[in-house]
Amino acid sequence: MDGGINNKSILYRIPEEVLSMILQLAVTRNTPFYINTEADMGRSQIASASASDAVGPLPSARPDSQEAHIADWKVVNFTCRRFKKLGRDAFFAAKVIAMPSTLPAALLRPHKSWKAPRGFAGQMLKNSGNPKQDLACVRHLVLTDARDFKPIWMASLTKLLTTHFPAVRQCMLIYTVLVQDKQMDIEQITAAMMLARPAREELRDMLVGTGMPERVVLEETVDVRYTEWDENTKKLETCIYPILRFKAGAMRKIKQREQEEKEQEEKEQEEKEQEGKEQEGKEQEGEN
């Protein structure tokens, strides 16, 4: 028995690959799921099947679209152990996940010595899971705090994606401005996503040049409350492009030098092997 479900039930006869696909289809939504760290929302206590599964409070006072995602979260975590084993990966792989770029570091920081994230992000830590593995499953990512006036933000984007989101296939940048340290809410995110368009080719080429995987489909949009496309373009050309060009150029030179060194090592190794064969041949001739 497991949570009241017989081991011989159909849930335990379905192959893991098939069940994972079913769970992904079941939790797929056409709205983004915003993993927020703020606690200015209502909360409700969720009763779990056993004490070991208890996760404490989860967000409840969310816009309707977010309630559906929270319901999916409950299903994959509290139905049975097999759902929980496969469901977390399916949950993060299937959904459009929106979050600030600072969240991965906050989730992975040792939280015993500091104040852990609040909101849903805090529950990712409490739900006896592995936040690093959760993030590694994300395929469609929306970053809600892109900065078109901070070179360090854009220059660190490649590292953020390759370090925390190795499975990402699509990434959308929402250019915005923090106002009194308030994060965007889901309505603002959804409104910005409706204006999304493919990333400018020059920007994408430079990011690929800094190490962003070529498979990543990059999109851009703006938080129209604070910026417009023309203003955004000027900021990118003035603040972002110069540093990205420099970084991409530097990385090309490093890769070129590494390739040259590798080729030189291979050449020297071949020469040593050839010399060894020639020496061996001379020794055999001398013996004869």
Side-chain angles (χ1 to χ4, degrees):
M1 291 282 189
D2 179 15
I5 298 178
N6 193 296
N7 288 336
K8 295 182 179 180
S9 73
I10 189 170
L11 287 178
Y12 287 86
R13 295 199 300 269
I14 300 175
E16 287 194 351
E17 296 80 5
V18 176
L19 183 56
S20 179
M21 293 176 60
I22 292 173
L23 289 171
Q24 287 191 40
L25 291 172
V27 301
T28 297
R29 306 283 177 183
N30 58 6
T31 57
F33 179 42
Y34 185 25
I35 302 182
N36 187 318
T37 60
E38 294 181 349
D40 55 345
M41 60 185 71
R43 292 165 177 253
S44 62
Q45 188 73 20
I46 304 300
S48 61
S50 66
S52 62
D53 288 334
V55 300
L58 281 172
S60 60
R62 310 287 295 228
D64 291 344
S65 64
Q66 299 304 281
E67 287 291 349
H69 296 298
I70 296 297
D72 292 337
W73 178 258
K74 296 174 186 176
V75 168
V76 300
N77 279 283
F78 304 118
T79 300
C80 63
R81 288 193 180 92
R82 196 166 193 230
F83 266 33
K84 187 171 184 178
K85 176 185 176 183
L86 302 174
R88 288 180 71 103
D89 289 357
F91 182 92
F92 287 97
K95 291 188 178 295
V96 179
I97 302 293
M99 66 173 66
S101 62
T102 54
L103 182 59
L107 285 172
L108 301 177
R109 193 180 306 162
H111 57 281
K112 291 184 179 179
S113 60
W114 71 295
K115 190 173 182 180
R118 299 176 293 177
F120 182 84
Q123 309 315 313
M124 290 175 63
L125 290 174
K126 295 180 182 178
N127 193 19
S128 63
N130 184 345
K132 184 175 182 180
Q133 176 61 28
D134 293 340
L135 298 179
C137 294
V138 174
R139 297 175 185 172
H140 192 164
L141 177 67
V142 178
L143 295 175
T144 61
D145 60 346
R147 299 289 182 264
D148 54 11
F149 57 92
K150 285 189 175 182
I152 189 65
W153 192 96
M154 196 67 72
S156 62
L157 176 60
T158 292
K159 183 178 181 181
L160 175 73
L161 296 179
T162 55
T163 301
H164 298 299
F165 303 99
V168 71
R169 295 293 185 271
Q170 188 169 349
C171 179
M172 182 184 297
L173 309 179
I174 300 181
Y175 297 109
T176 188
V177 178
L178 282 179
V179 178
Q180 296 179 349
D181 293 327
K182 287 291 184 181
Q183 299 174 12
M184 296 181 76
D185 62 34
I186 189 61
E187 289 86 356
Q188 295 159 357
I189 293 172
T190 305
M193 290 179 67
M194 293 177 66
L195 301 175
R197 63 189 189 185
R200 279 152 280 206
E201 187 174 351
E202 184 176 11
L203 175 63
R204 189 182 186 285
D205 289 345
M206 286 187 286
L207 287 172
V208 170
T210 64
M212 185 183 79
E214 291 193 32
R215 69 169 187 274
V216 176
V217 176
L218 193 66
E219 296 178 301
E220 299 174 289
T221 187
V222 295
D223 183 351
V224 294
R225 297 173 302 160
Y226 306 119
T227 188
E228 298 291 343
W229 280 113
D230 290 344
E231 180 184 1
N232 168 256
T233 299
K234 292 178 181 178
K235 288 180 179 178
L236 287 175
E237 292 176 347
T238 303
C239 305
I240 304 299
Y241 286 2
I243 190 68
L244 283 184
R245 289 193 189 100
F246 176 82
K247 185 176 180 180
M251 292 191 69
R252 280 195 298 269
K253 291 180 180 179
I254 292 174
K255 290 180 179 179
Q256 182 178 0
R257 184 167 65 249
E258 290 176 345
Q259 181 63 28
E260 291 174 352
E261 291 175 353
K262 181 180 179 181
E263 291 175 354
Q264 182 63 29
E265 290 177 358
E266 291 175 349
K267 182 179 180 180
E268 292 176 356
Q269 183 63 29
E270 290 177 358
E271 291 176 351
K272 287 181 181 180
E273 292 176 355
Q274 184 62 32
E275 290 177 0
K277 291 179 180 179
E278 292 176 354
Q279 182 64 30
E280 184 178 350
K282 290 178 181 180
E283 291 176 355
Q284 290 178 350
E285 289 178 358
E287 293 177 355
N288 294 332

